[in-house]
Amino acid sequence: MKDEQHIVTHFKNMKQQPVVLQIKDLYKSFGNNHVLNGFNMILHKGENLVIMGKSGSGKSVMIKCLVGLMEADKGIITVMGNDITTLNQESLDILRADIGFLFQGSALYDSMTVRENLEFPLRRHTKKFDKDIDTEKLVVEALGNVGLADAIDLMPSELSGGMKRRVALARTLILKPKIILYDEPTSGLDPITAKEIIILMKDIQTKYNTSSLIITHDVDCARVISDRMILLIDGIDYAVGTYKELSASDDPKIKAFFKH
Ligand SMILES: Nc1ncnc2c1ncn2[C@@H]1O[C@H](COP(=O)(O)OP(=O)(O)O)[C@@H](O)[C@H]1O
Ligand SMILES: [Mg+2]
């Protein structure tokens, strides 16, 4: 009961927080494949918002439109109040430096050491930092935050799947993003490693006070991490609510996600 109270209060507080990301009426088709048919989403400051949808439902397409890797057919996307379609390149770059993106599958550079993998984004986003930043300090700090300080000189091939995922997370954190977008952060990991990554993501959210959008089809991940969830079904935000609310629904399409 106490727990329930806490969740309700937490959710109410959340709604009073500023909106950091918003998608309004997003459409995207590939020929006759109508993937997104008017999808909506709001992410508040400090919130962990989970988007759940079946494989092929358009989750990655949605997140790619959000970061500008794909052009939407229609819809409005605002980042910290700025409509991204109206921004010039320079303003977009500044906004982008505040958004961390953890791609599906980690994607470390195989020919670079862990250290070099982490230095890479620092070089690309130098505008956000002073010329004489202490790269070494930032790399060590970011690795420490994911519990991998000792792995700094290893090659990706020497890391386990879970360690690779941690390094990818450290590489995202090193830019001190205000918003983190996770695309299937636990996919391909065994259940125990997946759980470790989820707990790490939660810790990071608390420590850095980031706002996170987490795309997953992992119900356990959603239960542990979400303040709120959106179910992406038929290309729309079919259902929105807390894990508790959605998992208690009688709607067959919603129920299908929660039965094990
Ligand atoms: N670049 C593309 N060209 C054509 N079809 C695509 C492209 N990217 C994604 N799709 C299609 O869009 C649908 C949604 O894909 P995706 O967003 O990757 O699904 P998921 O929810 O599993 O992340 C799929 O039917 C996929 O085949
Ligand atoms: Mg995907």
Side-chain angles (χ1 to χ4, degrees), residues 30 33 35 53-62 64 70 104 183-184 232:
F30 301 98
N33 185 5
V35 180
K54 282 194 292 199
S55 176
S57 60
K59 303 182 297 296
S60 292
V61 166
M62 184 274 292
K64 282 176 188 163
M70 207 177 248
Q104 203 163 343
D183 194 357
E184 307 268 12
L232 170 53

Side-chain angles (χ1 to χ4, degrees), residues 233 238 249-259:
I233 303 175
Y238 185 84
S249 168
D250 284 331
D251 183 315
K253 283 187 180 177
I254 299 176
K255 272 177 110 158
F257 281 94
F258 296 95
K259 66 168 184 255

Side-chain angles (χ1 to χ4, degrees), residues 15 70 74 77 86 95 116 161 182 192 198 227 245:
K15 279 181 138 174
M70 207 177 248
K74 205 180 121 192
I77 298 172
T86 64
L95 268 189
E116 287 161 349
Y182 297 95
I192 293 170
I198 295 163
D227 295 307
E245 287 164 349

Side-chain angles (χ1 to χ4, degrees), residues 11 21-23 38-44 47-54 57 59 62 213-217 222 226-233 235-243 245-246 254 257-258:
F11 182 49
L21 268 186
Q22 183 162 20
I23 293 180
F39 178 79
N40 297 283
M41 181 214 82
I42 287 178
L43 176 68
H44 299 96
E47 184 175 34
N48 285 327
L49 176 65
V50 165
I51 314 258
M52 222 162 56
K54 282 194 292 199
S57 60
K59 303 182 297 296
M62 184 274 292
L213 184 68
I214 302 131
I215 287 185
T216 186
H217 59 256
S226 67
D227 295 307
R228 223 156 44 91
M229 298 174 63
I230 297 178
L231 295 187
L232 170 53
I233 303 175
I236 60 163
D237 45 316
Y238 185 84
V240 183
T242 60
Y243 179 90
E245 287 164 349
L246 296 187
I254 299 176
F257 281 94
F258 296 95

Side-chain angles (χ1 to χ4, degrees), residues 24-194:
K24 276 190 215 161
D25 229 15
L26 192 68
Y27 283 80
K28 179 72 182 174
S29 298
F30 301 98
N32 286 329
N33 185 5
H34 303 294
V35 180
L36 298 173
N37 303 305
F39 178 79
N40 297 283
M41 181 214 82
I42 287 178
L43 176 68
H44 299 96
K45 188 167 190 289
E47 184 175 34
N48 285 327
L49 176 65
V50 165
I51 314 258
M52 222 162 56
K54 282 194 292 199
S55 176
S57 60
K59 303 182 297 296
S60 292
V61 166
M62 184 274 292
I63 213 164
K64 282 176 188 163
C65 291
L66 192 57
V67 293
L69 288 173
M70 207 177 248
E71 203 178 337
D73 298 335
K74 205 180 121 192
I76 297 171
I77 298 172
T78 56
V79 179
M80 288 178 267
N82 303 284
D83 178 347
I84 58 166
T85 53
T86 64
L87 294 178
N88 61 24
Q89 198 56 47
E90 198 186 346
S91 314
L92 263 183
D93 286 344
I94 293 170
L95 268 189
R96 260 197 210 123
D98 282 334
I99 303 181
F101 187 17
L102 199 69
F103 287 93
Q104 203 163 343
S106 302
L108 298 177
Y109 299 103
D110 285 334
S111 60
M112 295 183 186
T113 63
V114 167
R115 180 200 302 273
E116 287 161 349
N117 264 285
L118 264 69
E119 285 169 352
F120 198 76
L122 285 177
R123 267 187 257 125
R124 273 188 50 217
H125 289 281
T126 44
K127 270 190 206 146
K128 189 169 172 177
F129 297 95
D130 294 337
K131 274 204 184 69
D132 41 27
I133 47 161
D134 188 343
T135 312
E136 172 80 10
K137 183 167 164 269
L138 287 174
V139 170
V140 169
E141 182 194 7
L143 280 176
N145 282 332
V146 299
L148 277 185
D150 292 342
I152 190 160
D153 290 316
L154 297 181
M155 298 302 287
S157 60
E158 297 175 276
L159 306 175
S160 69
M163 288 163 86
K164 277 187 195 158
R165 212 59 62 95
R166 282 170 190 267
V167 174
L169 191 51
R171 190 176 56 180
T172 306
L173 289 175
I174 204 164
L175 291 170
K176 309 226 186 293
K178 296 193 174 89
I179 302 169
I180 306 183
L181 312 175
Y182 297 95
D183 194 357
E184 307 268 12
T186 60
S187 71
L189 300 176
D190 63 83
I192 293 170
T193 310

